Amino acid sequence: MNARVSLESLKGALDVLGSHKALRREFGMRLPTLMYHNIGSVAPGSNKALTISPARFRRQLRWLARRGYTGITASQWLAWCREARPLPDKAVLLTFDDAYADTATQGFRILREEGFTGTVFVVSSEIGGTNTWDQADGIARQELITAEEIRYWATHGIEFGAHGRTHADLTRLGPADAKAEMLDSRDRLAHLIGEPIASFAYPYGYYNDSVLESVKEIFPVVFTCDAGLNDLRTDLNRLKRAEMVSQYSFLDPFFQVRIGYNPIIVFRRTVGRLRRQAVTRARELLRVRDRGLFRT
Ligand SMILES: [Zn+2]
């Protein structure tokens, strides 16, 4: 009798312990989400900071693999949050914005060779075209992924998400136009691949209350450019990402997977901004002095 009681209580304790462990795992689960742009060589006039060389990209993937990270897609994160579908213990989500041709030809191949997967955000009016939205800002013309490549990679371990019809800043459009940008990018891509599209990345990372209202009806899983890590409590319409840039490669992706941003880059940018503000202020003061406004 006593033995049976002990056995039962031991079993109960194990059950509790098991569920406690599972609970701790679920609530303790953090999802680092890395945001890449170009994987390739730097083209003249292109955005150097956002271009990671293929060799460095491979090193980063090997670094992640050595530390036990497994790549997942945006849909897998959604399925875990909504349906408690299992995830690897140390998951990492690699995302690629704008779907540049070099990222497709070089980046995806390396990604698959190293045993990772990723989610790529496509601008639907420019499939097989160029980065027209960047060229308006003086950035060099770059080729983008073709329809054929999208179809190929969609069946070879890469997930596709939408990134707007024209890469317009949705916060500068009226609600109807913003919604049309999202719907067109979703539907064109879904038609091309023959499967529903679950994810979206805000062009430039910009969103406001009106955009959030619309996006909820169209995509179940949406990414910002806000820094940080994601967990079960993170709003699925505002998932965070750590930007992968070409500076300070020796510490990438060390900080990105642990805290969701690189503090050295943030510090450098803050110092740069403060310096620019100080210079502007000094110039204003000089102008005031030259106009003689300080004379008494
Ligand atoms: Zn973009």
Side-chain angles (χ1 to χ4, degrees), residues 37 97-98 100 121 123 133 163 167 201-205:
H37 282 80
D97 281 18
D98 308 335
Y100 293 101
F121 299 108
V123 177
W133 66 92
H163 198 35
H167 204 284
Y202 298 112
Y204 309 102

Side-chain angles (χ1 to χ4, degrees), residues 135-186:
Q135 292 163 49
D137 293 332
I139 295 170
R141 176 183 181 277
Q142 287 180 81
E143 292 190 348
L144 302 172
I145 197 168
T146 64
E148 206 171 287
E149 285 171 319
I150 292 176
R151 272 195 227 102
Y152 173 82
W153 285 111
T155 56
H156 288 79
I158 303 290
E159 183 166 290
F160 286 88
H163 198 35
R165 189 177 71 83
T166 63
H167 204 284
D169 170 0
L170 302 179
T171 64
R172 299 175 76 103
L173 300 178
D177 288 340
K179 206 167 174 178
E181 277 277 332
M182 294 185 233
L183 283 171
D184 185 277
S185 66
R186 181 194 69 180

Side-chain angles (χ1 to χ4, degrees), residues 219-264:
F219 299 100
V221 53
V222 187
F223 295 86
T224 66
C225 299
D226 302 342
L229 301 174
N230 301 298
D231 62 30
L232 203 51
R233 293 157 302 183
T234 312
D235 183 351
L236 281 170
N237 297 122
R238 277 184 295 181
L239 288 167
K240 297 165 191 166
R241 293 191 290 170
E243 193 176 23
M244 300 301 282
V245 290
S246 58
Q247 303 107 311
Y248 307 107
S249 66
F250 65 101
L251 287 169
D252 285 338
F254 178 86
F255 285 119
Q256 278 88 340
V257 294
R258 280 171 178 80
I259 55 173
Y261 62 93
N262 186 328
I264 297 172

Side-chain angles (χ1 to χ4, degrees), residues 74-220:
S75 300
Q76 280 177 277
W77 180 249
L78 178 68
W80 181 75
C81 291
R82 291 263 170 93
E83 301 155 35
R85 296 248 190 100
L87 276 187
D89 277 344
K90 280 177 92 173
V92 63
L93 173 50
L94 302 166
T95 66
F96 302 84
D97 281 18
D98 308 335
Y100 293 101
D102 55 359
T103 306
T105 50
Q106 304 183 68
F108 299 168
R109 184 176 48 77
I110 295 169
L111 198 67
R112 298 305 291 147
E113 281 170 5
E114 299 299 329
F116 281 85
T117 182
T119 302
V120 187
F121 299 108
V122 176
V123 177
S124 62
S125 70
E126 292 296 341
I127 294 169
T130 62
N131 55 335
T132 43
W133 66 92
D134 273 344
Q135 292 163 49
D137 293 332
I139 295 170
R141 176 183 181 277
Q142 287 180 81
E143 292 190 348
L144 302 172
I145 197 168
T146 64
E148 206 171 287
E149 285 171 319
I150 292 176
R151 272 195 227 102
Y152 173 82
W153 285 111
T155 56
H156 288 79
I158 303 290
E159 183 166 290
F160 286 88
H163 198 35
R165 189 177 71 83
T166 63
H167 204 284
D169 170 0
L170 302 179
T171 64
R172 299 175 76 103
L173 300 178
D177 288 340
K179 206 167 174 178
E181 277 277 332
M182 294 185 233
L183 283 171
D184 185 277
S185 66
R186 181 194 69 180
D187 296 344
R188 230 185 259 200
L189 203 54
H191 180 72
L192 185 61
I193 296 170
E195 276 180 21
I197 301 299
S199 59
F200 181 71
Y202 298 112
Y204 309 102
Y206 298 156
Y207 58 93
N208 56 19
D209 289 345
S210 157
V211 171
L212 273 171
E213 271 310 302
S214 301
V215 89
K216 278 178 196 165
E217 298 164 18
I218 304 170
F219 299 100

